Amino acid sequence: MRGIVLVNKEVGLSSYDLIRIVKNQIVEDFKIGHSGTLDPLACGVVILLFNEATKISNFLMDYEKEYIGVIKLGIETDTDDITGKVIAKKKVPKLKREEVLEILKDFVGKIIQEPPVYSAIKINGEPSYLRARKNKEVVVKERLVECYQIELIDYFRDTLLIKAVVGRGFYLRSLARDIGRKIGCGGTLAGLKRIRIGKWQIEDCLNLWELSLENIKKNLISIRDALYSFREYFYNKKKIEEFKREKRIFCEDDNSGYCKIISEDEKILIIGEKEDKFIKFLRLIYEDN
C-alpha cells in the first residue's frame, strides 16, 4: 500500500499525534509521514503519506494552502498564537472596515516574513521551538514568502476573521502578529483552520474517527494522482535504465518544471525536472519487480 490520505485534524493534536493515532489503528507495519505541519492550535487538512509516498512530501509542500484565521488584536505572545505567554498589550484603535482592508493589502504578494521563534525551523540542526524552550538564543532569519489572497470575512472590536491563500513556508502566526503591528496594537493568532491544500478541500478528508485500515485503503490516493500538477512522460525499460544511470534524458518538447517519468509497464516512477530539452533525474519513487 502506497499513496496519500487526506485527514481532517482536530484542535489539540499535533501532526505527529495524528500519525501515532493511525499507527495504533492499523496492525500492518507501514512507513507513515505527513506533508506540512499543522500546529495543535489549528485544525483542518493534513496529508498523510504511506510507504513510498513519504518520498514526495517535499513536492506536495509546494501546493498552495487556504486558511481561515482568527486574529486577536491588542496583545502579542511569545509564540505568536493565543497559547503563548503574553509579552505586550496595547489598546486597539477604532478602525473602519475600509481601513482594515487597506492594511491587509500590504500583505498580499511576495513579502518578507519573520517566522515565529516557536517553529519547526532548524537552527544548527535543532528545531527553534526546542531552543526557545531551553532558553537558548533563537535568531530566525527572515525569508521571502507569498500570499496570493487575503479576504476580510469579519471585523468586530478586537478580532479579525480572515481567509488567506498562501504559498510554501508562510506562517499565519507571523501574519497575525504583523497585521497587529501594522494596525499599531499588536496581534496574535487565536484560531486557525486549513480548508484546502492544492485541489483538495476539507470536505475530501477523513475524520479522526474514520481512520480505520479499511477506510484508509478505500480513500488512498495514488502517488501519480497526488502529483497531479506534474506532466507525465512514458519511456520503455531500456530508456528508464539509461535515465537512472546517466541522470538525464532527452525530451524534445518545450515544457519545464517538475515531471513524472513512468515506465511503459507503469512499474517504475521517477521524479524529474524538465529544463530546455532534457529531464534531470531527481528521485526514484518506486520500482516494482
Side-chain angles (χ1 to χ4, degrees):
M1 187 178 87
R2 61 180 171 228
I4 72 168
V5 169
L6 310 171
V7 180
N8 182 8
K9 187 186 84 66
E10 300 288 340
V11 172
L13 298 174
S14 70
S15 299
Y16 286 106
D17 288 335
L18 204 56
I19 291 173
R20 283 190 283 269
I21 288 170
V22 171
K23 284 186 174 180
N24 288 336
Q25 290 291 325
I26 60 181
V27 179
E28 297 179 41
D29 186 22
F30 294 143
K31 186 176 183 181
I32 306 175
H34 68 82
S35 181
T37 300
L38 201 55
D39 294 333
L41 170 74
C43 62
V45 185
V46 171
I47 299 176
L48 291 186
L49 315 161
F50 291 84
N51 294 319
E52 290 98 328
T54 56
K55 298 178 182 179
I56 68 169
S57 174
N58 192 50
F59 300 105
L60 296 180
M61 288 184 189
D62 285 336
Y63 289 150
E64 68 178 27
K65 301 171 183 69
E66 186 171 358
Y67 296 90
I68 293 176
V70 181
I71 301 173
K72 182 77 170 177
L73 299 173
I75 63 171
E76 288 197 17
T77 66
D78 57 354
T79 59
D80 293 322
D81 66 27
I82 204 69
T83 67
K85 178 183 176 183
V86 176
I87 56 175
K89 283 187 177 183
K90 282 187 179 180
K91 185 177 179 180
V92 180
K94 291 182 180 180
L95 295 176
K96 295 178 181 179
R97 182 182 179 88
E98 292 73 22
E99 293 176 300
V100 176
L101 289 171
E102 282 301 313
I103 288 170
L104 294 183
K105 287 180 182 178
D106 289 340
F107 297 93
V108 177
K110 292 183 179 180
I111 62 171
I112 299 296
Q113 186 182 74
E114 180 185 332
V117 169
Y118 285 82
S119 70
I121 295 172
K122 291 187 177 181
I123 300 173
N124 297 326
E126 185 178 22
S128 63
Y129 71 87
L130 288 180
R131 294 180 65 88
R133 287 175 185 172
K134 297 173 184 176
N135 294 319
K136 292 183 179 179
E137 183 184 13
V138 179
V139 179
V140 185
K141 293 181 179 179
E142 294 180 335
R143 55 186 183 176
L144 184 67
V145 294
E146 187 164 9
C147 178
Y148 304 109
Q149 176 187 340
I150 300 180
E151 176 187 343
L152 181 61
I153 299 173
D154 206 351
Y155 167 48
F156 46 100
R157 294 182 184 175
D158 61 353
T159 304
L160 300 179
L161 182 62
I162 66 168
K163 182 187 287 186
V165 180
V166 302
R168 181 173 184 152
F170 194 101
Y171 278 91
L172 269 290
R173 285 185 286 148
S174 296
L175 178 66
R177 177 199 65 213
D178 295 341
I179 288 173
R181 288 178 179 176
K182 189 79 173 179
I183 290 173
C185 59
T188 198
L189 191 66
L192 186 66
K193 187 174 188 177
R194 184 192 281 161
I195 60 173
R196 180 173 65 86
I197 298 178
K199 70 175 184 177
W200 299 302
Q201 307 282 342
I202 195 167
E203 293 80 12
D204 301 322
C205 295
L206 288 174
N207 292 306
L208 205 59
W209 56 88
E210 297 174 312
L211 289 174
S212 65
L213 180 58
E214 181 183 358
N215 278 338
I216 288 170
K217 288 182 176 180
K218 185 178 177 182
N219 290 275
L220 193 72
I221 298 169
S222 71
I223 292 175
R224 276 182 66 184
D225 289 342
L227 298 170
Y228 62 85
S229 64
F230 290 21
R231 185 175 294 272
E232 293 186 340
Y233 296 95
F234 289 86
Y235 290 95
N236 60 38
K237 190 69 180 290
K238 183 178 179 181
K239 282 290 185 182
I240 292 285
E241 291 302 319
E242 178 186 327
F243 183 44
K244 287 161 58 180
R245 184 175 61 254
E246 303 294 332
K247 303 304 180 187
R248 72 173 195 166
I249 193 168
F250 178 77
C251 182
E252 63 183 7
D253 69 32
D254 294 324
N255 296 299
S256 61
Y258 293 135
C259 56
K260 292 171 283 190
I261 294 83
I262 303 167
S263 60
E264 290 177 340
D265 59 7
E266 300 186 6
K267 290 185 176 182
I268 302 173
L269 190 149
I270 298 169
I271 300 298
E273 186 172 12
K274 180 77 165 50
E275 296 176 348
D276 298 323
K277 297 293 184 181
F278 287 90
I279 300 173
K280 181 173 65 174
F281 181 101
L282 293 182
R283 186 159 195 185
L284 173 66
I285 304 303
Y286 59 79
E287 183 172 10
D288 297 333
N289 295 325

